[in-house]
Amino acid sequence: KQEVTQIPAALSVPEGENLVLNCSFTDSAIYNLQWFRQDPGKGLTSLLLIQSSQREQTSGRLNASLDKSSGRSTLYIAASQPGDSATYLCAVLRSNDYKLSFGAGTTVTVRA
Amino acid sequence: SAVISQKPSRDICQRGTSLTIQCQVDSQVTMMFWYRQQPGQSLTLIATANQGSEATYESGFVIDKFPISRPNLTFSTLTVSNMSPEDSSIYLCSVGLAGGPSEQFFGPGTRLTVL
């Protein structure tokens, strides 16, 4: 069974600081990994998708890396802003059934 | 990408009643999924909604409690039946644009409170 763990569970930083969010998964048989953002009481917004053959993806201030063999991904957010405050979820797409397994999320607060 | 809408966005229901949640996509998609997010928890897959066939349910979820319809490639409904306070959650639908593994996109969710 695929287990996805996100560390830390919560993070509070001053504006301008870089954010580092970690995700680990137990089964390396994945097709891809997605990072999502969720605002309180809302749905999920897809931030980045990394295919299993890729090492990283970048979009603006966001960069995500993937080390499939060791079962780890890291999301970097550069020069954080108060608008980055949200919960960030990592999810892996399982190879055997095309279903997503989610981590519990990291709740980020960026202080102005 | 895909634009996904859900109705209702939120509802407060009485114990023992049922609620049907609608999910509409702006393009034809092969795979649609329904998730539940209980308060303070991450997402749990309820079922995969297949067009033209029965939905496939995950362990711990049954059709009598969560009947699903998928009448065409752009629409699906999830019914939460005989509700109890434990059903209070956010319910989300998602879609995969390709027939196989692909990026998934999520709707805005339906926030359900059962009294």
Side-chain angles (χ1 to χ4, degrees), chain A residues 45-105:
Chain A
T45 300
S46 180
L47 297 175
L48 289 168
L49 170 74
I50 311 177
Q51 302 292 351
S52 61
S53 58
Q54 296 177 313
R55 298 286 291 183
E56 67 177 328
Q57 276 287 349
T58 299
S59 176
R61 294 184 294 112
L62 275 60
N63 174 274
S65 66
L66 174 64
D67 184 342
K68 190 177 127 176
S69 61
S70 66
R72 291 184 299 185
S73 177
T74 302
L75 177 67
Y76 302 90
I77 303 177
S80 61
Q81 305 167 357
D84 294 329
S85 298
T87 296
Y88 292 82
L89 295 163
C90 160
V92 297
L93 192 69
R94 308 190 301 240
S95 295
N96 58 341
D97 58 11
Y98 302 167
K99 293 176 183 175
L100 283 175
S101 293
F102 279 86

Side-chain angles (χ1 to χ4, degrees), chain B residues 29-96:
Chain B
V29 296
T30 303
M31 306 184 80
M32 294 182 77
F33 306 90
W34 286 98
Y35 289 84
R36 179 176 74 181
Q37 187 176 31
Q38 294 177 300
Q41 305 293 315
S42 192
L43 278 74
T44 301
L45 181 64
I46 297 172
T48 302
N50 307 306
Q51 195 269 332
S53 64
E54 293 284 333
T56 305
Y57 289 83
E58 297 299 298
S59 175
F61 297 96
V62 296
I63 187 171
D64 289 346
K65 175 68 176 176
F66 298 102
I68 287 170
S69 77
R70 180 84 196 272
N72 57 52
L73 292 175
T74 64
F75 186 79
S76 178
T77 67
L78 169 76
T79 299
V80 186
S81 303
N82 188 24
M83 289 184 284
S84 67
E86 291 70 36
D87 294 318
S88 297
S89 298
I90 298 175
Y91 292 85
L92 300 107
C93 71
S94 77
V95 303

